[in-house]
Amino acid sequence: MRLSKYFLPILREDPADAQIASHRLMLRAAMIQQSSAGIYAWLPLGLRVLRKIEQIVREEQDRAGAIELLMPTIQSADLWRESGRYDDYGKEMLRIVDRHDRDMLYGPTNEELITDIFRRTVRSYRDLPKLLYHIQWKFRDEIRPRFGVMRGREFLMKDTYSFDLDLEGARASYNTMYLAYLRTFARLGLVSIPVRADSGAIGGDLSHEFHILAETGESDIYYDAAIEDIDLAKLTAEGADFEGTVEQLQSLYAAEAEKHDPANCPVPADRLRHAKGIEVGHIFYFGKKYSEAMKARVSGPDGKDVTVEMGSYGIGVSRLVGAIIEASHDDAGIIWPESVAPFQVGVLNLNTKDEACRAACERLYEQLTNAGVEALYDDTDERAGAKFATADLIGLPWQIRVGPRSLKAGEVEVKNRRTGETENMTPEAALNRIRG
Ligand code: P5A
């Protein structure tokens, strides 16, 4: 992408209303623009990151055997009356009346709708287990939307729903998702801590929240350092005792500060960690809460009807954009993990009037593009200093800086955004460094 043709209306000044780094940097880097309280437009740079995160989340769901579908954002109130949640949900639910005076709502979550799909289509225990998911916008009329996309009113969630014949199956589905979540967050370059949680408005009796570590996180958590050493490769290796290991993992200590009782903490002091976290995922086993109320049954092996066991599993996809920035930035701007960077490399032409610089940049840009590397080519007439600032702000993992002086020696300057290290090398070597 040529920056001169792109749409990147970055802000040179800090916006006044942003209290945390991710919100400030997302506005400055022109990733989002507020449309109304807690509701944002995703500008091109932000959308690229959102889509990358979404794709990693999708790939790990697919790998875990979940099947993607797409449910609507607008739902009928009748389904929620059946489950009993229409009144319970309160003011967080955005209620809508259509032209026929029917009560509708903008979905804050989809337990009812998926249960309705299930009961209308699945008849036999032979069709179980089933894990179904979608990645869809949700609306919750949060009393205090804040911190940009971290607590929005409209936000993108990945939500999966499991259907099983019995408790044992439900537990297996839960554990499958638990592991998929650890893998997903690791691929996003994050350390995640699964914390035993209350299940709140979703209901039920087994639940974990997944927190990622970030100094600015809103949650206060204590956990066993052993969690940081979880070896996912070993866990997923062929022949591994999957159930056993996941249950062992789940027994490792992690608790939110309110529930942490120092006197009874089972973790030795040298292994106890205290950190700030951001909740980016939440999984629930809630048994027959919805299937009973909505009569979601299949015929069992003995021909008798069985009410199915269910769970639901959420990831805050749009929240993750902010959370990743909270976990990975410095004074100059964002530092994207390679896996979600909007572009892998910025090619900076430091003197657009210099013919040699122009030719070298064009050639590099073409070679990168041909090699399948996503490059943002700064071909604008800005000063070199402004180009450096923009590149650092938007946080691409690599920068190739092409200036007249080093080019005379046949070299360009390569900067690694994370380490800050710069190195001179030939354009060919730069290409190989970035492809490697
Ligand atoms: C699980 C999937 C649920 O809604 N039903 C379907 C269950 N769980 S949850 O914990 O309420 O939400 C799941 C994740 O969504 C993110 N999230 C938000 N992100 C941005 N702004 C919000 N207002 C918001 N509310 C929830 C969180 O990451 C949460 O873990």
Side-chain angles (χ1 to χ4, degrees):
M1 180 64 63
R2 284 166 199 275
L3 188 53
S4 63
K5 304 245 159 55
Y6 201 41
F7 184 72
L8 188 70
I10 62 161
L11 309 176
R12 291 277 171 218
E13 305 292 322
D14 274 341
D17 49 347
Q19 299 159 28
I20 61 169
S22 60
H23 189 195
R24 176 169 52 81
L25 291 169
M26 285 180 77
L27 290 170
R28 282 199 52 204
M31 294 179 64
I32 52 169
Q33 193 175 69
Q34 185 173 321
S35 154
S36 51
I39 302 179
Y40 292 85
W42 290 80
L43 303 184
L45 195 77
L47 182 62
R48 288 182 81 100
V49 177
L50 188 68
R51 290 282 183 254
K52 292 224 165 147
I53 295 173
E54 185 182 330
Q55 185 54 24
I56 289 174
V57 169
R58 174 178 290 116
E59 284 169 17
E60 292 304 324
Q61 288 298 302
D62 293 348
R63 184 206 297 271
I67 300 161
E68 186 170 11
L69 46 67
L70 185 59
M71 290 178 266
T73 53
I74 307 292
Q75 305 181 22
S76 157
D78 288 339
L79 284 179
W80 288 69
R81 292 198 175 101
E82 263 192 80
S83 75
R85 277 209 292 184
Y86 191 60
D87 295 326
D88 290 357
Y89 223 94
K91 291 204 160 179
E92 270 199 13
M93 181 185 277
L94 180 64
R95 293 154 207 263
I96 304 164
V97 179
D98 75 7
R99 63 161 71 192
H100 303 292
D101 271 341
R102 281 187 208 113
D103 292 330
M104 313 292 285
L105 56 97
Y106 195 117
T109 177
N110 286 62
E111 279 79 5
E112 284 79 357
L113 215 147
I114 196 79
T115 305
D116 185 48
I117 291 175
F118 182 89
R119 70 178 172 184
R120 285 162 57 179
T121 47
V122 180
R123 296 274 168 264
S124 161
Y125 76 96
R126 287 192 201 84
D127 299 319
L128 301 183
K130 272 279 167 300
L131 282 161
L132 301 170
Y133 78 98
H134 73 162
I135 302 176
Q136 178 65 291
W137 294 91
K138 305 288 188 283
F139 195 92
R140 293 182 185 173
D141 206 350
E142 301 274 353
I143 197 166
R144 265 201 309 152
R146 58 189 180 145
F147 303 154
V149 300
M150 299 276 261
R151 183 172 302 283
R153 292 201 295 166
E154 189 183 54
F155 61 97
L156 189 60
M157 191 201 287
K158 183 288 297 171
D159 38 327
T160 307
Y161 303 87
S162 64
F163 298 88
D164 283 278
L165 187 64
D166 51 26
L167 179 60
E168 198 190 345
R171 196 170 293 267
S173 292
Y174 188 92
N175 289 347
T176 298
M177 279 298 120
Y178 180 94
L179 183 63
Y181 276 36
L182 292 178
R183 291 187 63 109
T184 303
F185 300 129
R187 276 187 67 187
L188 295 171
L190 302 166
V191 177
S192 68
I193 309 290
V195 181
R196 263 289 192 139
D198 292 333
S199 37
I202 309 292
D205 31 21
L206 175 61
S207 172
H208 283 87
E209 285 174 5
F210 289 76
H211 290 261
I212 62 140
L213 301 182
E215 276 165 34
T216 48
E218 279 194 276
S219 321
D220 225 343
I221 51 179
Y222 288 86
Y223 63 93
D224 187 333
I227 294 178
E228 286 181 28
D229 302 328
I230 293 172
D231 185 349
L232 286 175
K234 214 153 119 197
L235 241 179
T236 45
E238 230 175 294
D241 170 16
F242 167 70
E243 292 296 332
T245 327
V246 169
E247 265 156 43
Q248 204 181 322
L249 272 180
Q250 288 176 1
S251 69
L252 288 175
Y253 184 78
E256 290 213 56
E258 314 88 75
K259 292 197 200 123
H260 174 67
D261 174 0
N264 287 317
C265 178
V267 188
D270 63 325
R271 251 175 44 206
L272 186 67
R273 299 284 179 275
H274 178 206
K276 296 280 183 192
I278 300 169
E279 183 202 309
V280 290
H282 200 162
I283 63 177
F284 304 83
Y285 160 70
F286 46 71
K288 300 181 176 174
K289 180 176 152 85
Y290 300 92
S291 50
E292 209 148 71
M294 297 180 67
K295 304 190 174 60
R297 302 175 185 140
V298 295
S299 63
D302 59 2
K304 290 203 187 100
D305 275 1
V306 182
T307 301
V308 295
E309 293 272 350
M310 290 177 62
S312 72
Y313 314 87
I315 290 183
V317 177
S318 50
R319 174 177 288 182
L320 268 166
V321 181
I324 291 170
I325 297 174
E326 289 299 330
S328 182
H329 68 273
D330 62 15
D331 288 344
I334 303 166
I335 304 173
W336 289 117
E338 302 255 355
S339 59
V340 299
F343 298 91
Q344 294 309 305
V345 56
V347 176
L348 280 56
N349 184 346
L350 302 184
N351 186 344
T352 44
K353 300 205 173 67
D354 184 287
E355 183 48 34
C357 279
R358 203 196 57 80
C361 284
E362 291 288 336
R363 198 173 136 74
L364 257 172
Y365 177 55
E366 194 185 311
Q367 287 173 324
L368 285 163
T369 307
N370 289 344
V373 179
E374 296 163 306
L376 182 63
Y377 170 21
D378 191 343
D379 59 342
T380 66
D381 295 329
E382 292 278 356
R383 295 171 297 111
K387 290 191 177 184
F388 293 150
T390 299
D392 282 349
L393 172 66
I394 67 174
L396 309 183
W398 297 96
Q399 297 168 21
I400 305 180
R401 300 157 157 193
V402 183
R405 210 176 318 143
S406 39
L407 203 56
K408 281 215 177 78
E411 289 185 333
V412 295
E413 187 184 50
V414 175
K415 175 173 174 178
N416 180 300
R417 177 67 180 89
R418 188 170 293 279
T419 63
E421 282 162 15
T422 59
E423 197 182 321
N424 281 349
M425 60 185 81
T426 63
E428 288 67 38
L431 200 66
N432 288 332
R433 174 71 59 90
I434 283 147
R435 284 200 331 210

